[in-house]
Amino acid sequence: MQLSTGNRILKLISTGARLASSANTAQKRICIVGAGPAGFYAAQYLLKHLENSQIDIVEKLPVPFGLVRFGVAPDHPEVKNVINTFTKTAENSRVRFLGNLTLGKDFSIEDLRRLYHAVLLTYGADKDRTINIPNETLPNVLSAREFVAWYNGLPGFENLNPDLSGSTLTLLGQGNVAIDIARIVLSSADDLKKTDITEYALEALSRSNIKKVLLVGRRGPLQAAFTIKELREILKLPHCITSWRPNDFQNVEECLPDLQRPRKRITELMLKSLSEQKRSDGTGNMFMPIFHRSPVKIIGSERVQAVEYVANKLIDSRAIPTNETETIETDLVCRSIGYLSTNADKSLNFDARKGCISNVAGRVLKKTLTGSDQTIDDIEDKYEKGLYASGWLATGPTGVILTTMNASFGVADSICKDFHNNIIRVGDAKAGLDLVGRQVVTWAGWKAIDKEECRRGVEKGKPREKIVSLKEMLSIADGK
Ligand code: FAD
Ligand code: NAP
């Protein structure tokens, strides 16, 4: 076996090469699939609480950090500070980062379960939910995931070319992802150019004609999914007014005394903004939240012209359609109703309806069982031994990084318990993934990419210029 140290991409040439010493029988080999927050936080916990554990973090892309790199908005650099903690974890001698390896393509769950004592799946959610209304596939209807991936430089999305030639963008959904997109589109190019937004997106956004962004939700202000910090930020955007529809706020003020504190504060902020709202003088941008509307049809033949909505009334906080409809013109539509996980391996107990792996506190249920099955007590009968899931793949696509961290610590704790209680037995040494003939990007390879991105950023007065070509990433990682 040759484990190249000079080359940052490992190319193991001797057949039968194994990275683990088979003599070390007490070693606990764990494979984490996905190098996002869920994967890194689980690794951090395992390093601290599971003695003699050896962790491989296997990642589809040549670069780590998942949605922290490809989701978090470029104008929120402080959120990306978690990368420093992840880096410490990755640089621990008991951890290997193995980038450019994909579950479902380069290896299967069966392979991993054979080669590791425990396997933790944290491969996130890389598709998006659809609304399933007519004309949702028109060219000017994008998903928020695509739009975010485009401005954040996820390989494969650099040629999305969203059509920003019209004046109105409609965001369907009122979560923080929708707010992120609204803010990026309504920000000035001067502000964005100091961020790590990709150069091609900056260039396209600086030529954008979008002046009005509609943020359409099916329920009311009291149910809005965005949070106060994000709302406050958009209310303060320069050269942009926020225009609320007063009818959306009927009976809202009366509810204030009964609201929990966070909901009360955000509602007060909306009411304050409503009471202070000015008429547009037609020169600046406009952000316009619209409530109680569900899209039923996208109108247009070659491109979007309008969206038809049904008006909803609320019963027990649920949106119930009425007979009233409303059509609102738009030039571009972005569906922002949530990401969606996919099944990377057909052996998994994957709940296609919820879009996550069937699990209880991270332990993956046997394929014949569902989460609600309470009749089986014996852990060995109920769960796939040594197989776990965490992060958005296990919980569904909601929750900020902190939520993901807490959930992942909890799952990592279950793994520790299962080792300590001998549910996972470490009698047999496990070899870990056979890397022979594979082009794997190690942590040193990522550091080389990182260094080059920062160098290119300095030239442009920004923190980094992300490299979007996989080929280029691999070549830099290989020291070429
Ligand atoms: P991910 O971050 O998606 O990580 C999954 C990893 O698995 C990825 O690296 C992916 O490439 C890899 N992978 C996928 N498939 C495979 C495969 N088959 N084999 C191997 N690897 C694979 N939270 C905040 O606290 N603040 C914010 O400002 C914020 N902004 C956000 C903005 C957007 C647009 C989005 C969508 C989310 C944002 N969040 C934010 C939420 C936060 O990003 C998530 O809580 C968190 O990233 C979920 O972590 P995860 O590890 O489950 O998934
Ligand atoms: P989200 O917060 O769950 O919001 C989804 C939105 O889509 C909600 O308004 C929801 O309305 C709506 N929706 C869902 N299904 C719909 C349908 N069929 N028709 C119409 N509307 C529908 O999801 P997200 O915005 O994708 O964010 C995901 C997570 O990442 C969240 O936890 C978010 O806080 C986090 N995040 C955080 C930040 C930040 O901290 N700055 C930034 C981005 C993302 P209902 O409420 O009626 O279901």
Side-chain angles (χ1 to χ4, degrees):
M1 176 180 79
Q2 176 191 320
L3 182 53
S4 157
T5 47
N7 259 5
R8 279 169 293 219
I9 290 182
L10 302 180
K11 284 177 188 134
L12 302 191
I13 34 184
S14 105
T15 49
R18 292 287 185 265
L19 289 164
S21 152
S22 56
N24 187 358
T25 47
Q27 193 180 61
K28 304 167 185 83
R29 287 207 82 118
I30 298 162
C31 184
I32 296 178
V33 181
F40 274 110
Y41 281 125
Q44 181 185 327
Y45 191 96
L46 291 169
L47 284 176
K48 188 161 173 204
H49 297 279
L50 191 62
E51 247 179 88
N52 217 2
S53 51
Q54 194 75 37
I55 301 164
D56 284 351
I57 303 180
V58 178
E59 165 61 46
K60 170 171 83 169
L61 294 166
V63 294
F65 310 136
L67 285 169
V68 175
R69 177 178 162 106
F70 294 115
V72 170
D75 58 343
H76 282 172
E78 69 291 348
V79 179
K80 301 187 197 205
N81 288 340
V82 291
I83 285 175
N84 299 332
T85 311
F86 299 163
T87 298
K88 271 195 201 138
T89 298
E91 290 178 352
N92 187 300
S93 58
R94 285 156 60 203
V95 174
R96 290 190 310 173
F97 170 75
L98 304 175
N100 198 38
L101 286 181
T102 304
L103 171 63
K105 185 175 136 227
D106 297 310
F107 52 87
S108 65
I109 293 286
E110 197 191 334
D111 294 335
L112 295 182
R113 294 183 76 185
R114 195 167 24 86
L115 297 166
Y116 294 85
H117 294 108
V119 175
L120 171 61
L121 304 174
T122 64
Y123 64 80
D126 63 357
K127 292 280 177 290
D128 40 74
R129 289 184 183 143
T130 50
I131 309 180
N132 301 324
I133 53 173
N135 285 336
E136 206 172 333
T137 51
L138 275 180
N140 278 36
V141 183
L142 305 172
S143 70
R145 185 184 61 86
E146 292 168 312
F147 197 86
V148 168
W150 170 72
Y151 65 61
N152 273 335
L154 181 64
F157 291 84
E158 59 275 28
N159 296 320
L160 185 74
N161 294 327
D163 180 356
L164 306 171
S165 62
S167 64
T168 306
L169 161 67
T170 298
L171 289 160
L172 300 175
Q174 295 183 320
N176 282 332
V177 171
I179 291 266
D180 274 356
I181 294 176
R183 193 181 63 254
I184 293 296
V185 169
L186 294 169
S187 289
S188 74
D190 267 356
D191 285 337
L192 292 177
K193 76 180 183 200
K194 299 169 210 144
T195 73
D196 69 359
I197 193 166
T198 48
E199 201 58 22
Y200 60 79
L202 179 64
E203 207 262 324
L205 287 164
S206 67
R207 284 184 287 107
S208 159
N209 287 331
I210 306 269
K211 291 197 139 308
K212 192 194 231 182
V213 176
L214 312 180
L215 188 88
V216 186
R218 60 182 168 181
R219 299 192 288 159
L222 295 177
Q223 292 79 29
F226 51 76
T227 46
I228 192 160
K229 180 176 160 284
E230 285 61 38
L231 175 62
R232 208 172 266 138
E233 229 177 331
I234 208 158
L235 293 178
K236 285 187 186 153
L237 267 189
H239 313 295
C240 181
I241 62 160
T242 298
S243 174
W244 306 91
R245 305 212 292 188
N247 275 350
D248 285 343
F249 287 84
Q250 277 176 21
N251 306 325
V252 167
E253 200 162 356
E254 290 78 343
C255 298
L256 277 177
D258 299 326
L259 298 178
Q260 299 275 334
R261 194 170 147 72
R263 179 58 68 188
K264 187 173 179 184
R265 284 178 55 228
I266 192 170
T267 309
E268 284 168 345
L269 180 60
M270 284 188 259
L271 287 166
K272 179 167 178 281
S273 170
L274 168 69
S275 70
E276 293 168 352
Q277 79 183 11
K278 302 183 193 101
R279 275 185 170 278
S280 163
D281 62 6
T283 57
N285 293 331
M286 183 188 280
F287 171 60
M288 190 168 183
I290 294 175
F291 295 94
H292 306 297
R293 294 290 180 269
S294 288
V296 286
K297 192 201 291 178
I298 293 182
I299 298 169
S301 47
E302 309 253 296
R303 43 180 293 138
V304 180
Q305 286 163 343
V307 179
E308 184 181 313
Y309 302 91
V310 63
N312 297 322
K313 62 182 178 193
L314 280 181
I315 298 183
D316 296 335
S317 297
R318 284 181 309 124
I320 307 295
T322 65
N323 293 327
E324 188 194 333
T325 59
E326 180 180 10
T327 298
I328 306 178
E329 286 182 8
T330 191
D331 302 292
L332 179 63
V333 171
C334 206
R335 181 182 63 230
S336 186
I337 62 164
Y339 284 40
L340 186 67
S341 295
T342 48
N343 190 357
D345 186 303
K346 61 180 184 320
S347 72
L348 288 170
N349 185 347
F350 189 83
D351 184 333
R353 195 179 55 81
K354 288 191 194 152
C356 60
I357 292 204
S358 300
N359 71 96
V360 176
R363 291 188 179 96
V364 174
L365 284 158
K366 288 203 165 162
K367 212 166 174 185
T368 46
L369 302 177
T370 64
S372 55
D373 203 323
Q374 301 296 328
T375 53
I376 301 168
D377 292 331
D378 191 298
I379 219 167
E380 299 206 25
D381 289 341
K382 191 165 181 177
Y383 302 109
E384 293 289 353
K385 187 158 56 173
L387 187 61
Y388 305 83
S390 170
W392 278 17
L393 177 65
T395 60
T398 56
V400 292
I401 295 168
L402 197 67
T403 332
T404 301
M405 178 189 84
N406 287 328
S408 239
F409 283 171
V411 177
D413 191 58
S414 300
I415 298 177
C416 294
K417 287 197 176 105
D418 289 355
F419 271 109
H420 292 145
N421 295 334
N422 241 357
I423 288 165
I424 307 172
R425 295 183 191 100
V426 286
D428 298 336
K430 297 285 184 177
L433 266 178
D434 186 347
L435 303 174
V436 175
R438 299 186 201 269
Q439 208 181 12
V440 177
V441 178
T442 63
W443 193 253
W446 151 244
K447 294 298 276 184
I449 297 170
D450 182 41
K451 190 171 167 201
E452 177 58 15
E453 289 186 342
C454 293
R455 189 193 67 73
R456 293 183 192 185
V458 168
E459 279 177 1
K460 293 173 179 158
K462 57 201 286 204
R464 74 172 62 235
E465 182 60 49
K466 285 181 193 161
I467 294 166
V468 287
S469 150
L470 288 175
K471 207 170 146 205
E472 199 181 353
M473 285 180 185
L474 292 176
S475 145
I476 294 170
D478 202 16
K480 289 180 188 148

PDB file of all heavy atoms in Angstrom, residues 33 148 218 256 291 313 357 474:
ATOM      1  N   VAL A  33     -21.342  10.101   6.771  1.00  0.00           N
ATOM      2  CA  VAL A  33     -21.537  10.434   5.354  1.00  0.00           C
ATOM      3  C   VAL A  33     -22.154  11.827   5.259  1.00  0.00           C
ATOM      4  O   VAL A  33     -23.317  12.030   5.613  1.00  0.00           O
ATOM      5  CB  VAL A  33     -22.445   9.394   4.661  1.00  0.00           C
ATOM      6  CG1 VAL A  33     -22.624   9.749   3.183  1.00  0.00           C
ATOM      7  CG2 VAL A  33     -21.863   8.002   4.801  1.00  0.00           C
ATOM      8  N   VAL A 148     -30.265  29.864  -4.604  1.00  0.00           N
ATOM      9  CA  VAL A 148     -29.232  29.988  -3.566  1.00  0.00           C
ATOM     10  C   VAL A 148     -27.948  29.294  -4.039  1.00  0.00           C
ATOM     11  O   VAL A 148     -26.835  29.832  -3.894  1.00  0.00           O
ATOM     12  CB  VAL A 148     -29.733  29.369  -2.237  1.00  0.00           C
ATOM     13  CG1 VAL A 148     -28.601  29.226  -1.238  1.00  0.00           C
ATOM     14  CG2 VAL A 148     -30.872  30.194  -1.649  1.00  0.00           C
ATOM     15  N   ARG A 218     -49.069  31.239   2.716  1.00  0.00           N
ATOM     16  CA  ARG A 218     -50.450  30.720   2.703  1.00  0.00           C
ATOM     17  C   ARG A 218     -51.200  31.031   3.993  1.00  0.00           C
ATOM     18  O   ARG A 218     -52.413  30.957   4.057  1.00  0.00           O
ATOM     19  CB  ARG A 218     -50.446  29.219   2.425  1.00  0.00           C
ATOM     20  CG  ARG A 218     -49.676  28.399   3.442  1.00  0.00           C
ATOM     21  CD  ARG A 218     -49.680  26.927   3.065  1.00  0.00           C
ATOM     22  NE  ARG A 218     -48.727  26.170   3.858  1.00  0.00           N
ATOM     23  CZ  ARG A 218     -48.513  24.888   3.732  1.00  0.00           C
ATOM     24  NH1 ARG A 218     -49.183  24.194   2.824  1.00  0.00           N
ATOM     25  NH2 ARG A 218     -47.631  24.270   4.483  1.00  0.00           N
ATOM     26  N   LEU A 256     -52.123  39.975  20.367  1.00  0.00           N
ATOM     27  CA  LEU A 256     -50.791  40.201  20.960  1.00  0.00           C
ATOM     28  C   LEU A 256     -50.655  39.717  22.414  1.00  0.00           C
ATOM     29  O   LEU A 256     -49.681  39.028  22.734  1.00  0.00           O
ATOM     30  CB  LEU A 256     -50.433  41.695  20.898  1.00  0.00           C
ATOM     31  CG  LEU A 256     -49.842  42.207  19.575  1.00  0.00           C
ATOM     32  CD1 LEU A 256     -49.609  43.707  19.664  1.00  0.00           C
ATOM     33  CD2 LEU A 256     -48.564  41.490  19.230  1.00  0.00           C
ATOM     34  N   PHE A 291     -50.024  37.850   2.704  1.00  0.00           N
ATOM     35  CA  PHE A 291     -50.438  36.703   3.520  1.00  0.00           C
ATOM     36  C   PHE A 291     -51.743  36.093   3.004  1.00  0.00           C
ATOM     37  O   PHE A 291     -52.434  36.689   2.169  1.00  0.00           O
ATOM     38  CB  PHE A 291     -50.617  37.149   4.976  1.00  0.00           C
ATOM     39  CG  PHE A 291     -49.323  37.585   5.619  1.00  0.00           C
ATOM     40  CD1 PHE A 291     -48.942  38.928   5.622  1.00  0.00           C
ATOM     41  CD2 PHE A 291     -48.474  36.662   6.212  1.00  0.00           C
ATOM     42  CE1 PHE A 291     -47.748  39.335   6.209  1.00  0.00           C
ATOM     43  CE2 PHE A 291     -47.284  37.062   6.806  1.00  0.00           C
ATOM     44  CZ  PHE A 291     -46.920  38.400   6.803  1.00  0.00           C
ATOM     45  N   LYS A 313     -58.682  31.289   4.493  1.00  0.00           N
ATOM     46  CA  LYS A 313     -59.024  31.754   5.845  1.00  0.00           C
ATOM     47  C   LYS A 313     -58.345  30.792   6.822  1.00  0.00           C
ATOM     48  O   LYS A 313     -57.984  29.660   6.435  1.00  0.00           O
ATOM     49  CB  LYS A 313     -60.540  31.780   6.042  1.00  0.00           C
ATOM     50  CG  LYS A 313     -61.191  30.441   5.912  1.00  0.00           C
ATOM     51  CD  LYS A 313     -62.684  30.536   6.079  1.00  0.00           C
ATOM     52  CE  LYS A 313     -63.271  29.138   5.887  1.00  0.00           C
ATOM     53  NZ  LYS A 313     -64.671  29.070   5.718  1.00  0.00           N
ATOM     54  N   ILE A 357     -35.084   9.905   6.564  1.00  0.00           N
ATOM     55  CA  ILE A 357     -34.846   8.510   6.934  1.00  0.00           C
ATOM     56  C   ILE A 357     -35.656   8.195   8.185  1.00  0.00           C
ATOM     57  O   ILE A 357     -35.634   8.970   9.148  1.00  0.00           O
ATOM     58  CB  ILE A 357     -33.342   8.288   7.175  1.00  0.00           C
ATOM     59  CG1 ILE A 357     -32.617   8.431   5.840  1.00  0.00           C
ATOM     60  CG2 ILE A 357     -33.068   6.961   7.847  1.00  0.00           C
ATOM     61  CD1 ILE A 357     -31.304   7.751   5.727  1.00  0.00           C
ATOM     62  N   LEU A 474     -10.402  19.684  -8.078  1.00  0.00           N
ATOM     63  CA  LEU A 474      -9.634  18.435  -7.956  1.00  0.00           C
ATOM     64  C   LEU A 474      -8.178  18.656  -8.340  1.00  0.00           C
ATOM     65  O   LEU A 474      -7.261  18.135  -7.700  1.00  0.00           O
ATOM     66  CB  LEU A 474     -10.255  17.338  -8.831  1.00  0.00           C
ATOM     67  CG  LEU A 474     -11.632  16.846  -8.367  1.00  0.00           C
ATOM     68  CD1 LEU A 474     -12.220  15.839  -9.350  1.00  0.00           C
ATOM     69  CD2 LEU A 474     -11.546  16.236  -6.971  1.00  0.00           C
TER      70      LEU A 474
END
